[in-house]
Amino acid sequence: MKVLAVDIGGTKIAAAVWDGALGEVHRTPTGSDPWGSVTTLLDPLKDGIEAIGVGCGGPMSWPAGEVSPLNIPAWRGFPLRSELAARYGVPVRLHNDAVCMTIGEHWQGGWGTEDLMGMVVSTGVGGGLVSGGRVLNGAGGNAGHVGHVVVEAGGPLCPCGARGCLEAIARGPAIVAWAAKRGCSATTGVELAALASQGNAVALQAFARAGRAIGIGVGNAAVLLDLEVVAIGGGISQVPSLWPTLRLSLRAHAQIDYLKDLRVEPAALGQEAGLIGAAALFVDPDRYWTGD
Amino acid sequence: MKVLAVDIGGTKIAAAVWDGALGEVHRTPTGSDPWGSVTTLLDPLKDGIEAIGVGCGGPMSWPAGEVSPLNIPAWRGFPLRSELAARYGVPVRLHNDAVCMTIGEHWQGGWGTEDLMGMVVSTGVGGGLVSGGRVLNGAGGNAGHVGHVVVEAGGPLCPCGARGCLEAIARGPAIVAWAAKRGCSATTGVELAALASQGNAVALQAFARAGRAIGIGVGNAAVLLDLEVVAIGGGISQVPSLWPTLRLSLRAHAQIDYLKDLRVEPAALGQEAGLIGAAALFVDPDRYWTGD
């Protein structure tokens, strides 16, 4: 089956044709006219495609596919699924980008498990769940939002309104802000990661703190779902100083016997996981699509 | 289909025949010879049964059904599933008692949802998950262990080895111990609940503290699974002073938009939920049984 796979984020949009394997990946900036960017990217790729699978930043209505991505202010309640179907004349399926990343990791990541959480630690903290070999959607397509698990009751305020959510501590801008309050000059996660790699104490502490929080959040998900694998992607996950405290915190907080072989590792597929998962919405719907 | 449903706990064993509806419930103390108690209870009920469904306290291997219930010291690695199959000559399926309670609530509780967590707050804190209308098992049958979600990082030590698990705060003996340290004379949850109903300040605080912890644990599960309903049973859940802080804490910690209609309520089916769920392992296996 020939599927056009699309991954829509706040900064860039990626697309590739899946035809037994993922073809060349095309990219364009999202810009201020995201629909214009999407169509400019997809129009040259549409020949012979039978379906379009899309991963997009949330929140969204699911499976209706009306999207209001936090990082794409031009779209609020935008009917992305139906607009794509109307323009390209093929079936369209759409899911949260972190869910598509998770599906990609389960389908093609080589993990050898039916119980996996995918996680993206970047500007936000997102995730998705595969349990018993099937993706979980929850009542409204929002299952997997590990960023809003409370890891520090009464902790820092989260944009969702609660206190102490994992995302309020471990998303890139929160890590940078914590370091800035302690005199660190970095204004982006990349800058802060560079300082950490040079041994800057505040930068190291900032990532260590985020790692501790991620360890609790990952442990909570693993204990609740009896997971075997947690695959973590996103820019922040590539900072080495995050991982030692992540593993220590996980060990301390997830001691129950059945988690003794839990593997928590960097995602296997890199940036293409989301595109591969978007294709899987059509290529393997028995496991990855329960919507209409 | 005529199924013999069995619910095995540390204090008592219950059994009833399901034949389109649950028949009369027979009970016996578990005692020091649990296999003797089980067979004495089941032998008179075996005529014409086609299968035996069992809920039992964990931990256990699943689906093999070798049980080591925390509260039944006589059984450590006891091959309950195969022993029952050998004695009664019919297929046997066995799951965690809190999972069976959850299945019962989903199947017959009238909740009208496909995304539900069942929870038992009693001597321990157990649970089970239904997502998209199917029970979740996880890699080894342990999905739903909400009692080991961390709700207070660095908090009290849990028997599992971690600190700050929900069970370490909200199980009956932990609530009683917390109150005892503050001068309260109650030695059981029932006595402490009686004191709370008379307005005893320490007893009220003890249940309020447990309610706060339950609110965080329930919120974490709901955000991660995008649940619509959490049905809470067990003796501790029947103490009225638990609920106001449970609801306040839930509101504070689960603010994300998609949880605004989440219902957290006392379980609908009472003590029979576990028996009904045990029967469902055979009556509706497409939704409730994925083991061998």
Side-chain angles (χ1 to χ4, degrees), chain B residues 26-93:
Chain B
H26 304 260
R27 291 190 176 83
T28 192
T30 308
S32 57
D33 172 19
W35 178 246
S37 304
V38 166
T39 53
T40 303
L41 187 69
L42 301 194
D43 283 354
L45 302 172
K46 70 184 178 190
D47 284 354
I49 59 162
E50 298 162 77
I52 301 177
V54 186
C56 185
M60 64 180 63
S61 65
W62 182 92
E66 295 179 348
V67 303
S68 308
L70 285 180
N71 299 319
I72 307 181
W75 282 353
R76 285 297 172 264
F78 181 73
L80 179 59
R81 190 180 176 196
S82 58
E83 288 290 329
L84 285 169
R87 183 178 183 96
Y88 296 104
V90 296
V92 176
R93 292 174 181 168

Side-chain angles (χ1 to χ4, degrees), chain A residues 96-99 101-102 117-128 143-148 166-167 171 231-233:
Chain A
N96 189 290
D97 51 2
V99 172
M101 173 272 193
T102 301
M117 180 167 76
M119 198 170 165
V120 180
V121 186
S122 176
T123 310
V125 176
H145 269 70
V146 65
H148 297 282
L166 174 55
E167 179 161 298
R171 69 197 187 105
I232 310 182

